[in-house]
Amino acid sequence: MTDTTLDLARQIMACPSVTPNDAGCMDILGARLAAIGFSLEWLDRNGTRNLWARRGNTAPLFVFAGHTDVVPTGPLERWTSPPFAPEIRDGKLYGRGAADMKTGVAASVTAVEAFVAAHPDHPGSLAFLLTSDEEGDANDGTVAVTEALQARGEHLDYCIIGEPTSVNTLGDMIKNGRRGSLSGVLNVKGIQCHIAYPEKGRNPIHQAAPAIAELAATEWDQGNEYFPPTTWQISNIHGGTGATNVIPGQLEIKFNFRFSTASTPEGLQQRLCAILDSHGLEYEIKWTLGARPFLTGRGPLADAAIEAIRSVCGIETELSTTGGTSDGRFIAPICGQLLEIGPSNATSHKIDECIAVDAPAQLSAIYRRILEKILLA
């Protein structure tokens, strides 16, 4: 029997769609969707291909979201088989995008094809939000589509993103939220001078050290049922001229908060500055809010996903908010319930990226069962 999901995954994996290049993936996917009654709307921006495809005009609106771009391959000679010539061996599908996230995209398309074939007059509406700018700067992809949808007052009731979320076996973990990301560049000002005459200067490294220790020891929040506690980490630190006999005039520290819904970016900024002020530092900070946290608690979509994974895979799934950011941060503000459900994340972005060869068909079956639980209940 032909595995239509595996075939489609291999077809789009063969497209060398290194971000932000789509390399023809969306033409393949768009043709499949148009053939089952979807209207296609291209919302390209600054060279990024974005597709909004919709079938139906009634509520509720169920959306599958994903990206067709992949990260660069790395050294080709290190791949066992060419990254854009998908190959099956040892029970696995190999190639760039197998995990992140062309299998998820393919599975969502074949799930909808099967669902529409069985229920051509289904209640509600179906849509796809596809972009080729997720692995790069993410300035002109999903964010562009959600801005367009928001501008015309469109609201998504349910959304599944096919990002790789599983750990050891398909379905053992799904993401029902993501932490926020708040970064800062802190410049602590001192007075440069000869190191033999420290009384003539002010060493910003010495001044900042107690503040750094307090920041590292601070409990920002305790998290909650779904999120671990907020963390603060230094990623880069630099001070000095390179000479051994000069007290530096400034210290630069780059840091990041990964924060839960138990904190706000404004509150974290205020608390950090209060600690710096308490140590008498002269400083400047440039802040960058990369993402706000989002969460979908237990409800119709999460319950449907849990049941679908139990039915298809025979296991109990774990709801998790761990990991980095995703395009879900752009969709969540206009979506009632959002989950990320996909294959194993073990080899994402790695040389010889791969997933279990039976994962595409299983993932498609999970998606279809979720659709049935949500739209046909």
Side-chain angles (χ1 to χ4, degrees):
M1 181 178 177
T2 300
D3 184 340
T4 57
T5 308
L6 180 61
D7 290 346
L8 180 56
R10 296 181 71 179
Q11 187 179 4
I12 59 176
M13 284 170 61
C15 300
S17 56
V18 176
T19 191
N21 184 17
D22 170 67
C25 292
M26 280 190 233
D27 290 331
I28 295 170
L29 300 169
R32 298 276 290 249
L33 295 174
I36 56 172
F38 279 77
S39 59
L40 309 185
E41 182 180 2
W42 299 97
L43 298 169
D44 300 351
R45 189 166 81 178
N46 294 331
T48 293
R49 294 209 82 187
N50 298 312
L51 174 61
W52 173 250
R54 179 163 179 161
R55 184 182 195 273
N57 296 299
T58 59
L61 173 58
F62 194 113
V63 179
F64 285 99
H67 61 89
T68 58
D69 58 321
V70 297
V71 296
T73 62
L76 292 175
E77 65 274 11
R78 292 183 57 196
W79 284 75
T80 305
S81 55
F84 296 112
E87 181 175 293
I88 296 172
R89 62 179 186 273
D90 304 322
K92 295 180 180 179
L93 171 64
Y94 286 84
R96 178 59 84 222
D100 192 9
M101 61 167 284
K102 291 185 177 180
T103 294
V105 171
S108 61
V109 170
T110 59
V112 168
E113 287 175 334
F115 178 78
V116 169
H119 311 284
D121 300 318
H122 62 82
S125 302
L126 297 167
F128 281 82
L129 193 169
L130 301 174
T131 181
S132 64
D133 180 29
E134 195 271 352
E135 298 290 8
D137 294 334
N139 293 324
D140 298 303
T142 299
V143 65
V145 179
T146 55
E147 286 173 357
L149 296 177
Q150 195 167 24
R152 61 198 193 199
E154 292 199 51
H155 179 78
L156 286 54
D157 295 290
Y158 305 99
C159 180
I160 289 179
I161 305 176
E163 288 283 4
T165 60
S166 302
V167 181
N168 297 311
T169 186
L170 179 67
D172 62 1
M173 179 179 289
I174 62 179
K175 305 293 184 180
N176 66 321
R178 295 278 186 169
R179 293 176 295 175
S181 176
L182 175 65
S183 298
V185 179
L186 167 65
N187 276 291
V188 180
K189 299 178 182 179
I191 297 175
Q192 182 174 317
C193 70
H194 195 294
I195 207 163
Y197 305 96
E199 70 278 4
K200 298 180 182 295
R202 188 172 76 240
N203 193 320
I205 299 175
H206 291 188
Q207 282 197 308
I212 292 172
E214 183 174 347
L215 289 167
T218 297
E219 182 184 83
W220 303 97
D221 59 46
Q222 296 182 336
N224 55 36
E225 177 185 0
Y226 295 105
F227 285 95
T230 292
T231 61
W232 179 83
Q233 292 289 323
I234 291 175
S235 58
N236 291 271
I237 186 167
H238 177 75
T241 64
T244 60
N245 60 350
V246 178
I247 286 176
Q250 69 174 17
L251 172 68
E252 181 185 85
I253 300 172
K254 294 181 179 179
F255 61 86
N256 177 266
F257 284 103
R258 289 302 165 106
F259 64 101
S260 72
T261 51
S263 290
T264 66
E266 297 79 13
L268 294 172
Q269 290 174 353
Q270 292 169 3
R271 290 183 63 190
L272 182 137
C273 289
I275 291 173
L276 299 179
D277 292 340
S278 72
H279 288 273
L281 301 184
E282 183 182 356
Y283 65 91
E284 293 179 348
I285 301 180
K286 293 183 179 179
W287 294 97
T288 301
L289 179 60
R292 290 183 180 271
F294 62 91
L295 176 69
T296 295
R298 290 298 297 266
L301 187 59
D303 291 346
I306 291 169
E307 190 281 331
I309 291 170
R310 183 187 298 128
S311 174
V312 174
C313 303
I315 61 174
E316 295 300 317
T317 193
E318 176 185 354
L319 297 177
S320 172
T321 60
T322 58
T325 58
S326 74
D327 272 3
R329 68 191 189 273
F330 303 126
I331 300 172
I334 62 168
C335 182
Q337 298 180 49
L338 181 151
L339 296 176
E340 298 176 26
I341 307 172
S344 171
N345 192 38
T347 62
S348 294
H349 296 196
K350 291 185 176 182
I351 301 294
D352 283 349
E353 180 179 348
C354 63
I355 59 168
V357 73
D358 59 355
Q362 285 187 308
L363 188 58
S364 180
I366 290 170
Y367 290 164
R368 178 180 175 182
R369 189 161 183 87
I370 293 172
L371 282 174
E372 291 169 346
K373 293 287 288 184
I374 294 295
L375 295 184
L376 304 181

